[in-house]
Amino acid sequence: MQLLCLTDRAPADALPSLELLVHDLRVSPLGLRLPPAMRSQYDCIIVDGSHNVRLAREVCKELASTSCAPRIAVLPESALGVVQPDWGVSDVLLPGAGPAEIELRLRLLRPAVNVAEQGAQTEVHAAGVVIDEANFTARLHGRPLDLTYKEFELLYFLVAHPERVFTREQLLSEVWGTDYFGGTRTVDVHVRRLRAKLGEHDGLISTVRGVGYGFARARDTPEDDHQADAE
């Protein structure tokens, strides 16, 4: 997606998890008045009001006065009570929102399309793994994978972010949720089960010692993949 972030800070400070997503991100000052042509060329405009709620409100309302891309406001929790329909925003995110949540919000902004296009939009694929979230199916080089719900969610998240490395804590938060009280060993158990079901392609899920797991990434040493399971 083509994203525009209006902020008076660096995007990494406004919404840190944006750096983990594969989107074309452009940045402009929060108070900059955008020409109408520029407003419509983006799939979403992110308005960062983390440090200046009043200015963010003015920007959102000004953008809403003309036809332009959907808008998401990034606001601190203390400011949520002042958001009104006249802001004209499609959604609101907290600055600490994780990559899975941001990706979901962006996906829900897309306009309704025909069934075939919807199916294409819900698919993610990398290194021979194709996952269709809408139909809850996963295939490896055309072979169906028989996964439990959490195995599916974990694989979906990893495939959606190939070549990136996530700590066990990050995976636990994104896949199991922040209200999950189990330990990070749960992640190791599910990774081990996924590798078993990937069979000869189990190396697609690699272990970075002392950090966590990644999908379809180059490894420094071939031994690293399974050593963490014995830690």
Side-chain angles (χ1 to χ4, degrees):
M1 296 180 71
Q2 301 287 324
L3 306 179
L4 175 64
C5 182
L6 301 178
T7 180
D8 51 7
R9 303 183 292 160
D13 296 326
L15 203 59
S17 295
L18 272 177
E19 292 189 334
L20 299 176
L21 303 179
V22 184
H23 294 293
D24 185 1
L25 177 66
R26 305 294 176 86
V27 180
S28 291
L30 180 59
L32 180 67
R33 186 178 179 85
L34 298 176
M38 181 179 292
R39 301 178 186 188
S40 60
Q41 74 181 51
Y42 295 98
D43 296 307
C44 178
I45 298 177
I46 299 172
V47 181
D48 174 28
S50 301
H51 284 182
N52 196 332
V53 176
R54 184 183 297 273
L55 179 56
R57 172 180 175 273
E58 295 174 359
V59 171
C60 287
K61 294 181 72 172
E62 198 276 330
L63 289 172
S65 66
T66 59
S67 177
C68 68
R71 297 155 302 284
I72 294 179
V74 180
L75 299 171
E77 188 171 3
S78 59
L80 297 183
V82 303
V83 179
Q84 299 295 328
D86 64 354
W87 282 43
V89 295
S90 302
D91 211 334
V92 176
L93 282 169
L94 296 177
E101 179 182 356
I102 298 173
E103 186 67 30
L104 173 61
R105 303 291 185 91
L106 291 173
R107 190 163 65 244
L108 293 177
L109 287 179
R110 294 174 179 171
V113 291
N114 60 48
V115 175
E117 290 174 331
Q118 285 180 343
Q121 287 183 355
T122 60
E123 284 190 357
V124 297
H125 54 85
V129 177
V130 179
I131 298 182
D132 185 345
E133 186 184 29
N135 296 311
F136 199 75
T137 61
R139 292 179 174 274
L140 173 61
H141 296 297
R143 173 174 64 88
L145 295 174
D146 183 15
L147 306 177
T148 66
Y149 178 75
K150 282 303 177 185
E151 289 169 355
F152 179 87
E153 291 291 302
L154 178 58
L155 185 60
Y156 180 89
F157 183 79
L158 291 172
V159 173
H161 305 90
E163 301 182 14
R164 298 182 184 275
V165 178
F166 296 94
T167 66
R168 291 170 174 82
E169 290 77 10
Q170 286 175 318
L171 291 172
L172 199 66
S173 175
E174 295 299 333
V175 177
W176 279 263
T178 55
D179 58 347
Y180 180 76
F181 294 104
T184 56
R185 196 63 182 174
T186 297
V187 177
D188 297 330
V189 171
H190 281 75
V191 166
R192 189 181 303 116
R193 291 173 179 171
L194 275 179
R195 282 175 170 159
K197 293 182 178 182
L198 291 174
E200 62 181 358
H201 301 284
D202 61 343
L204 286 173
I205 302 178
S206 58
T207 300
V208 179
R209 291 178 62 81
V211 182
Y213 298 106
F215 184 83
R217 63 180 300 277
R219 291 166 293 175
D220 296 328
T221 60
E223 298 85 11
D224 281 352
D225 271 353
H226 300 288
Q227 284 183 345
D229 290 337
E231 292 178 352

